[in-house]
Amino acid sequence: MAILRVSPNLALDQAVAQRQADGEPLVHMGFGEARLPVFEPFVERLAAGSAATAYGPVAGGAAAREAVAGYFTRRRMPTGADQVMLAPGSKPLLMALQLAVPGDVLIPQPAWNSYAAQAAMAGKQVFGVPIPAACGGVPDPEEMRRTLRAARARGHSPRIVVLTLPDNPTGTLASPHLVHEVCAVAEEEDLIIISDEIYRDIVHDPATPFLSPAEVAPHRTIVTTGLSKALALGGWRIGVARFPADGCGRRIHDDMVCIASEVWSTLSMPMQAVAEYAFSEPSEVQEQLTTSARLHGAVARAVHGILTGAGASCRPPAGGFYVYPDFEPLREELGYRRITDSSSLFQHLLDTYGIAVLAGHHLGDDEGALRFRAATSLLYGDTRELQQLALDSPDPVRLPHISAVLERLDESFAKLTS
Ligand SMILES: Cc1ncc(COP(=O)(O)O)c(C=O)c1O
């Protein structure tokens, strides 16, 4: 059994919350949460669904599964209701996939921290594959081939690759060309693709092309998503998975139902009522997604500008609410402050400037690299009123409460690198 520890992002969030409660004025960018007020129609659906107190079918009730199937079908992935499954968050679905699909696992490096932890808990070997220069969320295809060869030569059996589109932690989106390339390697090497598309509906620019691996390699791709990020319902725990219609897809789906039946039984029925409504995407939900994507994009771009202005290199954010700067160009200057790696960079930012971020090594990156992930969605304000103001604003970075925190970041990073 792998050594167990609390997921570093959740641990950091709790530590920051404690320090803030003790009166420390921290700028918290360490936790990947879309901090937005609940969209009122969801509350109504939840209340209406609360009378349903029976357990219900393991994979989810027919109405919720139909809605989810429609969601995927509208995204060029024709889907039947028997191909989908709902669960209390996509995280348990991703864990169950590690149990249901045999073989070791390739993940991009860096990647969302839970992939490696979950694979290790399932007794698998994890291989981090460096990401390409253009974006994260996918392994560099050539490095992927090299890693596969080396892993097999050492007696391992990689059978799974996990992709994140758009990506956490880099906030970038792999191009259709790269998706094709990675799928081609997966085909050649007979890998199952797990495509985590939880940030898909908050790509900042609606003109950005999105290609799911399930469109390119439909027989070997499982897609997961949920309402935690795009619709800011993290604490409500609503996740879904889509399986290939045939072949191994059916078997994996059936095994997942067995695992779910022994672990979480089903997604709670009131949450299924919310899921049915959200995944059917009435116009007001679509509007909420558009507005949220606009806000996430505006603030992520502003923070990206501050970091690159201070001299860091950083891929421009394209979706979700993260940036992942690299302070390598400033290694010498940072060295004078005894900042030499990911841990010391994190600690210095916290202790000197009160800025909390997630250090890159927690995301599988090299400990020696000067990288971290900043979750920019935590800058929208501490109250529901301020967050709603941010959501409603055509120019959120000019709102006094957001521009004040951006100024603080600007001054801090300018000082750090001066
Ligand atoms: C890339 C990615 N996948 C999956 C999840 C899990 O989300 P949930 O379990 O809330 O659906 C997260 C949450 O941080 C994430 O960032």
Side-chain angles (χ1 to χ4, degrees), residues 42 54 86 168 177 184 213 250 291 342 385 397:
F42 294 151
L86 293 99
N168 169 10
H177 177 73
R250 248 355 294 154
T291 322
S342 151
E385 289 71 27
V397 297

Side-chain angles (χ1 to χ4, degrees), residues 9 31-33 88-94 112-115 164 166-169 196-199 224-229 233-235 237-240 321-322 373:
N9 50 347
F31 190 55
E33 184 169 273
S90 62
K91 204 179 218 181
L93 287 166
L94 288 159
W112 177 51
N113 48 280
S114 291
Y115 302 137
T164 320
D167 183 35
N168 169 10
D196 180 346
E197 302 181 6
I198 197 161
Y199 297 95
T224 60
T225 186
L227 304 184
S228 299
K229 312 296 175 177
L233 287 180
R237 314 304 302 125
I238 300 171
V240 303
F321 33 73
Y322 305 104
R373 185 196 74 181

Side-chain angles (χ1 to χ4, degrees), residues 94 98 105-108 110-112 115 129 131-132 136-141 144 160-168 172-175 178-184 186 191-199 210-214 216-217 220-224:
L94 288 159
Q98 296 290 351
V105 186
L106 260 52
I107 59 173
W112 177 51
Y115 302 137
V129 186
I131 57 176
V138 294
D140 179 89
M144 192 174 160
I160 304 170
V161 60
V162 184
L163 312 178
T164 320
L165 305 161
D167 183 35
N168 169 10
T172 58
L173 174 64
S175 66
L178 256 170
V179 170
H180 272 289
E181 279 197 282
V182 170
C183 288
L191 304 179
I192 293 287
I193 301 169
I194 297 174
S195 184
D196 180 346
E197 302 181 6
I198 197 161
Y199 297 95
F210 184 101
L211 182 66
S212 172
V216 183
R220 57 177 66 253
T221 304
I222 296 144
V223 181
T224 60

Side-chain angles (χ1 to χ4, degrees), residues 68-154:
V68 175
Y71 167 93
F72 284 115
T73 302
R74 286 189 295 280
R75 283 160 181 74
R76 301 184 305 269
M77 293 175 262
T79 306
D82 60 342
Q83 275 174 266
V84 300
M85 175 171 180
L86 293 99
S90 62
K91 204 179 218 181
L93 287 166
L94 288 159
M95 178 69 221
L97 281 168
Q98 296 290 351
L99 297 170
V101 184
D104 296 321
V105 186
L106 260 52
I107 59 173
Q109 186 181 20
W112 177 51
N113 48 280
S114 291
Y115 302 137
Q118 291 185 340
M121 284 196 268
K124 292 165 186 284
Q125 191 73 34
V126 179
F127 299 94
V129 186
I131 57 176
C135 63
V138 294
D140 179 89
E142 263 324 299
E143 294 280 358
M144 192 174 160
R145 284 196 176 87
R146 205 169 304 145
T147 304
L148 284 165
R149 273 198 301 274
R152 289 191 180 127
R154 282 189 277 135

Side-chain angles (χ1 to χ4, degrees), residues 288-301:
Q288 178 76 0
L289 288 169
T290 307
T291 322
S292 306
R294 184 183 64 195
L295 171 63
H296 297 316
V299 178
R301 279 193 301 277

